[in-house]
Amino acid sequence: MFFPARGRHLLACAALVAAMGAGLPGPASAQVTAFKQAVAEEVAEQDGLNAFYRNRDFAPVWTGADEVHRHRRAMLIDAMRNVSSHGIPAARHDADELFAMLRAADTPRERGEADVAMSMAYLRLANDLQSGILDPRRVVSGIKRDPATRSPEELLARLEAEDPRTLFRSLAPQSPEYVRLMAARVKLEEQRARGGWGAPVRASKLEPGMSGQAVVDLRNRLVAMGYLGHTSTAIYDAAMEKAVRDVQSDLGQTIDGIAGPETLDAINKSVDDRLKSVIVAMERERWINMPGGLGERHIKVNLTDYHARIYDNDKLTFETRAVIGSQDSDRQTPEFSDVMEHMEINPSWYVPRSIVVNEYLPMLRRNPYAVSHLEITDRNGRQVNRGRGFSQYSASSFPFSMRQPPGPKNALGSVKFMFPNRYNIYLHDTPSQNLFSRTVRTFSHGCVRLDDPHEFAHALLAVQEDDPVGFFEARLRTGSTQRVVLEKQVPVHLIYRTAFTDAKGRTQFRDDVYGRDAAIWRALEAAGVSLGGLRS
C-alpha cells in the first residue's frame, strides 16, 4: 500500500512511540530523533525493514562511526562492485551512487536515509546473489521452479550475527559446482580477451593420418582450448587423436577420436557461446541454492546430459544413462525438484489422458481392437467391451481410461520410481533398450527412462536393506505390483545444464536440446547482462 508523505510521517511517529515506549524525545536528543525519524519514514512501507529497525530502536546499521559499521559498509560497497564476476550486471547495484549518497550525508536525517538505502541495497544484492536475477517461470514455461529465496528478516538478522566479510562472501551459492563455474567463467573471460580460440576448422570430417590446412587449424584450436600441448605437427597424429577424444568426452559425444561433423561443430563454437552457457549455468545454480542444500542423499537428472545420478554427501555414488522427453513442445520433460517416496516393482502403466485421446482414440475409432495390449476401463475399473466400438466418441467425450498390466512389455518396464508431483513425471524402466545407445536421447512423452533401473533400485535400497539385490529380486519374481516405501525420502532435482563441471574442475558442455538456455540468455541480456560488461 502506498502512503503519502504525511501518512508516512504519521506512521513513523507511531512506530517510534511504540518502539520507545514513551513520547518523542526532547530537544536534548534532537540529533538522534532526526535520524530515527528519517529511518522510520523510509521503512514505513517496508514490512521486513520496518520490523528490523523497530526491534533495534531505529539505531543505525551502517552509518555509525565505530569500526563495526565502517567494516560492514565497506564490505557492502566492495560486494556491489564485484557483482559482475557472478554474471550479474553492475548497473543493478550502483555502488558509486550509494557511496556518493553516504559521503554527502551531513545531517542526522540524511544519515538515516542513507542507512535505510544501504539496507535496501544489501537486500537486493543478497537476493540476486543467492537466488538469481530472473524469475525462471516467466522465462521458460518448462521450468517449474521458484528461486530459493530468503526472507528479508533472515537476511537482515545475519547482519548483526555474522562477521561482515564472512557474510558477504557467503551470499552467493557455496556449492562446489558454483565455485567451479566461477573459475570456468574467469578462464573463458581471459581467453576471450586474448581473441578467442582462433580460426574455425573448415572441414566436414578429419581423422588420424590426415594432413593439410584444416588439420593445422584443428591443431591450433585444440592447443588454444587447452586440449593439446604446443606442437608444430601438421599431421593428425596420436596426440591430436587423444585430444579429440578428450573433447568428445567433455561434450558427451561418442568417443572415437575422429573429428566428424558433430565434433567439429562443437569445437568451432566460439568462446562467447561457451561463456554464455556458463553464465546461464551460474544463474541456474542460484535458482537451486536451497537453504538446506540439495540433500545429504539426492538424485540429479541433467536433462541435456541424459543421465540420472545419485549423490551421497556431494559424492557421486551411482549413475545411469537416461532418455528424456522429446523435443516436441508438449512432451519436453519439465524442470523441478521434489522428493522420491517409493518405488513400484512390476508396475501397471496408467496411460495419461493426453496419450489416450490424442494417440490411441483415433486408432480405436478405426479399429476397436487396436492397441490390444491395453485394457480399457470405465470409471469403476471394469473392462469395457471393445465390440461396441468407439467411433461415437471425441477427445472431449471419451469416458474411459486405459491401463497396461505388469509384464515384460509394459511401457514402464519392471520398476518405476515415484516422487508424486502435479506434472505426473517419474523415473522408470523401459523395454526400449536400444534407445540408450543414441547420443541424443529425447524420445519419451516426458518421463525419464533409465538404462540400469534395477541397479538404480539396488542403490536406493542399500541404505535400508542388508541384501538390497535379494530384496528387490524377490519382489520382482512375484509378477504382481509391489510398492516399496523408501524409509528415508530422497530429494530429486530435474535440472538442465548446457555447461557443468566435474569433480576435477573440467567444464563440460552439452547441446541446448530444448532451446531453454537460449531463452534464458535472452532474458539475462534484457536484464542488462552483456559479455563486454563482465570483469574477472
Side-chain angles (χ1 to χ4, degrees), residues 129-143:
L129 287 173
Q130 291 185 329
S131 308
I133 66 176
L134 300 177
D135 181 345
R137 289 177 178 267
R138 295 187 177 184
V139 180
V140 178
S141 61
I143 304 178

Side-chain angles (χ1 to χ4, degrees), residues 428-446:
H428 65 90
D429 183 15
T430 176
S432 303
Q433 289 295 308
N434 61 302
L435 298 178
F436 293 103
S437 63
R438 309 280 187 90
T439 302
V440 177
R441 297 192 286 273
T442 52
F443 299 105
S444 82
H445 283 81

Side-chain angles (χ1 to χ4, degrees), residues 8 37-46 109 112-113 116 120:
R8 291 199 302 272
Q37 184 69 39
V39 170
E41 290 178 7
E42 292 295 314
V43 302
E45 301 173 45
Q46 309 289 334
R109 168 167 285 278
E113 293 169 349
V116 175
M120 294 179 69

Side-chain angles (χ1 to χ4, degrees), residues 168-224:
F168 283 99
R169 286 181 174 177
S170 69
L171 290 178
Q174 299 301 294
S175 65
E177 176 67 3
Y178 191 82
V179 173
R180 293 193 292 258
L181 287 170
M182 287 274 289
R185 188 204 64 80
V186 171
K187 186 176 180 180
L188 288 167
E189 274 286 308
E190 292 172 345
Q191 189 67 43
R192 186 173 187 269
R194 291 194 293 267
W197 289 317
V201 183
R202 306 295 185 187
S204 59
K205 183 179 181 181
L206 298 173
E207 53 189 318
M210 296 180 69
S211 61
Q213 185 59 47
V215 171
V216 171
D217 290 341
L218 175 61
R219 177 203 69 193
N220 292 343
R221 204 156 175 94
L222 291 171
V223 170

Side-chain angles (χ1 to χ4, degrees), residues 217-260:
D217 290 341
L218 175 61
R219 177 203 69 193
N220 292 343
R221 204 156 175 94
L222 291 171
V223 170
M225 295 172 72
Y227 286 98
L228 184 64
H230 288 286
T231 174
S232 59
T233 183
I235 299 174
Y236 198 133
D237 58 12
M240 194 177 298
E241 180 182 358
K242 180 183 182 303
V244 169
R245 287 178 175 273
D246 290 342
V247 170
Q248 291 169 332
S249 175
D250 286 349
L251 298 175
Q253 298 179 353
T254 300
I255 302 174
D256 57 13
I258 297 172

